[in-house]
Amino acid sequence: DTAVSQTPKYLVTQMGNDKSIKCEQNLGHDTMYWYKQDSKKFLKIMFSYNNKELIINETVPNRFSPKSPDKAHLNLHINSLELGDSAVYFCASSQGRAGYGYTFGSGTRLTVV
Amino acid sequence: GQQLNQSPQSMFIQEGEDVSMNCTSSSIFNTWLWYKQDPGEGPVLLIALYKAGELTSNGRLTAQFGITRKDSFLNISASIPSDVGIYFCANAGGTSYGKLTFGQGTILTVHP
């Protein structure tokens, strides 16, 4: 069983469209995250939810809206996609303190054309 | 915000060689983590360090938490082709439910 699963793996879409990425974890963790990895491979946090409550919201355009229906799921919806949104988006989860490390999903490669 | 400076940015080595990479910060931390990212996959935790001076091994990998608590080192001995990937240092700053901040990554290429 995959611990942190993201769908879809690849997403190609046109500018201006709205798209969603889904994430589910079966580890029983209480905290979930979205990270963005740019073309230079730099990993930057976007959002974090603890028990369905938003606890970290970095400087991210409000076109990006996370939603956590329960503590095992954290979805990412993106409105009005722009070329600069092209990147790999990673979902991750942890139990309690982030210092014990995250478990990452395998990523969603988003390409906006 | 805090920044982690990881070096080198990339390494090209022959199979069997040893590898060393490091990460430094201007801030003091309670935790250092090392991750590896294989192509097309998410990062996977290799080693976690929680105490200044701590030296921890995981197979051919050895990592150390610097005495100043501002740096960490990762060494890979006798590299093999499957060591190829991107290695990231990370730390959490000791906050509960806090974010992990990652270094820029070291891209490792191993020639057979």
Side-chain angles (χ1 to χ4, degrees):
Chain A
D1 264 351
T2 304
V4 179
S5 59
Q6 296 178 228
T7 53
K9 176 79 172 172
Y10 300 96
L11 186 54
V12 181
T13 188
Q14 289 188 323
M15 274 174 46
N17 284 350
D18 303 338
K19 290 293 178 185
S20 292
I21 307 172
K22 296 187 175 182
C23 180
E24 176 182 5
Q25 55 96 2
N26 63 7
L27 298 166
H29 288 169
D30 60 4
T31 308
M32 296 184 73
Y33 311 83
W34 278 109
Y35 272 76
K36 179 180 180 180
Q37 186 171 47
D38 62 22
S39 58
K40 295 184 178 177
K41 308 300 182 186
F42 186 65
L43 281 160
K44 185 169 169 53
I45 192 166
M46 300 173 69
F47 302 103
S48 173
Y49 271 74
N50 174 254
N51 283 318
K52 302 194 300 174
E53 182 183 345
L54 179 66
I55 54 172
I56 293 175
N57 183 352
E58 293 288 292
T59 309
V60 177
N62 57 16
R63 298 182 294 104
F64 290 78
S65 52
K67 281 191 172 49
S68 181
D70 55 63
K71 73 174 191 176
H73 295 83
L74 180 61
N75 304 322
L76 183 65
H77 187 76
I78 315 170
N79 289 327
S80 303
L81 278 154
E82 300 178 357
L83 293 176
D85 297 331
S86 296
V88 181
Y89 293 84
F90 285 101
C91 177
S93 70
S94 69
Q95 178 58 33
R97 296 169 69 89
Y100 294 134
Y102 298 164
T103 300
F104 280 88
S106 59
T108 296
R109 181 174 292 277
L110 171 65
T111 304
V112 182
V113 297
Chain B
Q2 67 195 47
Q3 271 196 309
L4 300 182
N5 298 308
Q6 188 172 346
S7 64
Q9 287 188 341
S10 62
M11 302 182 75
F12 298 84
I13 62 169
Q14 289 292 128
E15 183 176 359
E17 290 183 5
D18 296 343
V19 171
S20 185
M21 60 192 79
N22 69 81
C23 207
T24 61
S25 173
S26 57
S27 302
I28 291 174
F29 293 103
N30 297 321
T31 305
W32 281 98
L33 307 170
W34 285 93
Y35 280 83
K36 182 194 178 193
Q37 183 178 16
D38 288 327
E41 297 296 328
V44 173
L45 183 64
L46 298 173
I47 293 178
L49 302 159
Y50 300 109
K51 189 176 173 184
E54 180 181 356
L55 186 71
T56 298
S57 293
N58 179 3
R60 292 177 296 103
L61 276 61
T62 302
Q64 183 160 27
F65 193 144
I67 290 289
T68 64
R69 294 170 62 194
K70 293 182 178 181
D71 57 5
S72 181
F73 303 86
L74 176 69
N75 296 316
I76 306 173
S77 62
S79 59
I80 58 177
S82 63
D83 289 333
V84 163
I86 307 175
Y87 292 80
F88 292 98
C89 62
N91 57 42
T95 57
S96 296
Y97 312 118
K99 63 183 181 184
L100 280 185
T101 297
F102 286 83
Q104 304 97 322
T106 295
I107 301 172
L108 179 63
T109 304
V110 181
H111 295 288

